[in-house]
Amino acid sequence: MAIKNEYLKGVYEGLAARNPEQKEFLQAVEEVLTSLEPVVERRPDIVKHKIIDRIVEPERTILFRVCWTDDNGVVQVNRGYRVQFNSAIGPYKGGLRLHPSVNLSIMKFLGFEQIFKNALTGLPMGGGKGGSDFDPKGKSDGEIMCFCQSYMAELYRHIGADVDVPAGDIGTGAREIGYMFGMYRKIRNEYTGVLTGKKVGAGGSLARTEATGYGVCYFTNEMLKAAGDSFEGKTVVISGSGNVATYANQKATQLGGKVVAMSDSSGYIYDPNGIDYKIIKEIKEVKRARINTYLDYVPTATFTPGCSGIWTVKCDIALPCATQNEINLESAQALIANGVQYVVEGANMPCTLDATAAFQAAGIPFGPAKAANAGGVATSGLEMSQNSMRYNWTFEEVDAKLLQIMKDIYASAAKAAEEAGQPGNLVVGANVAGFLKVADAMIWQGYAF
Ligand code: NDP
């Protein structure tokens, strides 16, 4: 374990003893607590108020049964989750993941990360996360709707525009948000901004769909600028081909990069001429097909089965945008050996702790997820503002606000890293800057939570 400070070590060990099976959650906590060593050493009030002991425990964890009927009339049972982690600076906010791998550890790691990410945006949003082990892959529209309605038939009791505002994540896109929103509206008989990622024209914000991927590239651009560099002429590899990956491709290409590889859980495609994000959008959003369908559009491209092979493709910029722990030490070493110059996390915690350490030891600028992919939740925050005002900003207005937010996040993470005596370490900077905002709000509010 990398944590040396006695107080932090004690909190971590207690947490690990209480949750021995929650490895993703413990991984996320270890990373944050390691960064906080200089903070607790210079801020005895944080120890006195037991902020660390409190911040690692969710304020509330909701676990429930979700029954739905498939197209054959057979009853199916899944588990539903909502972890309301911290509301010190605003209503809980965070996405809903629908994936068979979902369990309490994954929900808690995502909810924990979300606390600091949301604080970094500068908007008043607490941290939460939810979802289910339901697998949307291969399900009919009717089955998806049936599941989403059943999920919301319980979740509605726990959320609200000023209480907890869920959004999309893996497996939850505009279609699923629509079915959930419809059910919430039926039960509550109210039209509020209780979910974000809504359809444009029905309370959704322009540029929300693009926001996470664009934000990742805006953040990367700040890192490039700090090094006197730019996207121009850079070869980019992006894992995944979902919401984040697709729009990261569009923006990286617009900024002058060339995206040569993308993936899904079946394997990766390689196209040395650059992958057109519009083809990916059609394959994934319209056809809901597998990534190798790209070869029907571009026969000169190649497809390689397997999840980790994409990291052996030579590139200047690596943007992991698929899922947690997709880059382990071996993949990190392959990227470093191939001369990668920048690594920026689009997905949540896509790099294992030893992979991150390897990039940092090799002097490669590293953009951590909670800063780099905060553009999605920031734009969800802008959707909430527009809903409250009963008003819509234009695409350009939202995009300009997103760009400014990403620049500000970069600046505050870079500044906090310097103040912590680790200039350029954006992992430390993002953790410290996000944490301090929440910690100060918790101290101010006493021990109610
Ligand atoms: P999507 O469901 O839209 O896409 C996920 C993509 O990742 C799919 O292409 C999926 O392929 C692929 N994938 C999953 N597992 C693997 C794997 N082991 N190897 C390769 N590819 C894989 O999700 P999002 O794009 O919304 O989310 C991606 C990541 O970004 C997640 O970590 C999420 O938490 C994070 N994030 C998302 C935000 C958002 O606004 N959407 C905001 C901030 C973070 P397949 O279809 O085969 O499963």
Side-chain angles (χ1 to χ4, degrees):
M1 199 213 326
I3 306 169
K4 293 186 188 65
N5 174 281
E6 284 306 316
Y7 167 57
L8 293 171
K9 211 161 130 182
V11 174
Y12 180 84
E13 284 170 357
L15 193 72
R18 291 195 300 284
N19 306 284
E21 75 298 347
Q22 295 179 6
K23 60 181 186 348
E24 293 85 359
F25 175 50
L26 293 171
Q27 178 183 339
V29 171
E30 184 178 345
E31 188 219 83
V32 172
L33 298 200
T34 306
S35 300
L36 295 182
E37 292 191 317
V39 177
V40 295
E41 274 153 25
R42 70 166 194 264
R43 286 275 309 262
D45 57 329
I46 285 172
V47 183
K48 178 182 158 219
H49 293 283
K50 295 217 167 187
I51 293 299
I52 309 291
D53 304 66
R54 289 157 64 194
I55 214 164
V56 297
E57 282 297 334
E59 290 174 6
R60 196 172 298 104
T61 303
I62 303 149
L63 178 55
F64 51 99
R65 181 172 65 202
V66 186
C67 299
W68 56 281
T69 314
D70 69 19
D71 286 346
N72 300 317
V74 178
V75 177
Q76 302 287 340
V77 185
N78 285 99
R79 267 193 182 170
Y81 299 84
R82 186 70 184 165
V83 178
Q84 298 181 329
F85 225 116
N86 194 298
S87 60
I89 62 166
Y92 309 103
K93 181 95 197 82
L96 298 173
R97 178 173 292 189
L98 302 182
H99 194 273
S101 65
V102 163
N103 58 32
L104 194 53
S105 173
I106 289 181
M107 294 285 95
K108 283 174 70 179
F109 117 64
L110 290 164
F112 185 70
E113 291 278 294
Q114 199 82 45
I115 304 171
F116 310 106
K117 179 187 308 193
N118 294 3
L120 280 170
T121 66
L123 301 174
M125 300 181 290
K129 200 79 188 188
S132 171
D133 57 2
F134 171 78
D135 185 0
K137 236 180 247 143
K139 302 287 190 303
S140 69
D141 270 0
E143 288 173 327
I144 299 278
M145 180 160 66
C146 190
F147 169 82
C148 289
Q149 291 182 338
S150 178
Y151 180 78
M152 187 51 81
E154 172 60 35
L155 190 70
Y156 84 94
R157 297 172 218 281
H158 311 287
I159 62 174
D162 295 319
V163 179
D164 182 355
V165 183
D169 190 70
I170 291 180
T172 307
R175 172 180 62 169
E176 292 75 17
I177 292 290
Y179 294 150
M180 290 183 196
F181 185 73
M183 190 64 176
Y184 181 88
R185 206 162 64 73
K186 179 181 168 77
I187 299 173
R188 288 277 199 205
N189 193 27
E190 62 180 33
Y191 208 112
T192 58
V194 65
L195 293 167
T196 56
K198 298 185 291 299
K199 189 176 167 59
V200 173
S205 174
L206 285 159
R208 172 60 188 94
T209 308
E210 295 83 354
T212 310
Y214 279 20
V216 171
C217 293
Y218 292 152
F219 189 88
T220 308
N221 212 22
E222 292 305 298
M223 291 171 62
L224 287 158
K225 280 198 279 182
D229 209 342
S230 80
F231 261 104
E232 203 54 54
K234 295 273 188 306
T235 300
V236 185
V237 164
I238 302 180
S239 63
S241 47
N243 174 268
V244 181
T246 302
Y247 296 100
N249 173 330
Q250 184 191 10
K251 187 53 72 180
T253 308
Q254 271 175 13
L255 292 172
K258 184 161 77 168
V259 180
V260 296
M262 290 183 77
S263 62
D264 65 16
S265 58
S266 67
Y268 75 90
I269 50 164
Y270 175 70
D271 182 351
N273 297 319
I275 298 169
D276 182 349
Y277 86 97
K278 292 192 282 312
I279 301 179
I280 299 296
K281 204 163 127 68
E282 182 168 314
I283 294 170
K284 290 292 170 181
E285 288 179 18
V286 181
K287 296 190 170 164
R288 296 187 187 275
R290 308 308 294 155
I291 194 86
N292 60 0
T293 311
Y294 185 80
L295 273 56
D296 297 344
Y297 295 81
V298 184
T300 51
T302 57
F303 170 75
T304 309
C307 282
S308 57
I310 189 166
W311 305 120
T312 63
V313 175
K314 188 172 168 52
C315 64
D316 303 313
I317 301 177
L319 304 178
C321 293
T323 194
Q324 66 272 0
N325 291 330
E326 55 172 309
I327 299 187
N328 59 13
L329 182 59
E330 196 187 336
S331 296
Q333 284 165 342
L335 280 162
I336 295 167
N338 275 329
V340 71
Q341 295 172 34
Y342 301 87
V343 179
V344 183
E345 297 184 314
N348 284 313
M349 205 170 75
C351 298
T352 59
L353 292 173
D354 51 4
T356 304
F359 292 129
Q360 291 179 322
I364 293 162
F366 181 85
K370 60 174 77 63
N373 74 19
V377 74
T379 308
S380 280
L382 300 177
E383 183 174 327
M384 289 163 73
S385 304
Q386 294 170 80
N387 292 161
S388 299
M389 292 189 294
R390 302 274 192 267
Y391 187 73
N392 299 315
W393 290 316
T394 62
F395 188 98
E396 290 69 25
E397 284 172 310
V398 179
D399 191 31
K401 289 182 203 299
L402 168 66
L403 175 60
Q404 191 55 50
I405 289 170
M406 297 314 297
K407 286 183 171 187
D408 292 346
I409 293 174
Y410 176 81
S412 64
K415 182 162 169 265
E418 255 189 71
E419 286 170 359
Q422 300 189 51
N425 188 337
L426 297 173
V427 175
V428 167
N431 285 334
V432 170
F435 168 79
L436 282 177
K437 194 169 166 196
V438 180
D440 287 338
M442 289 173 74
I443 291 170
W444 172 64
Q445 290 172 40
Y447 306 144
F449 270 110

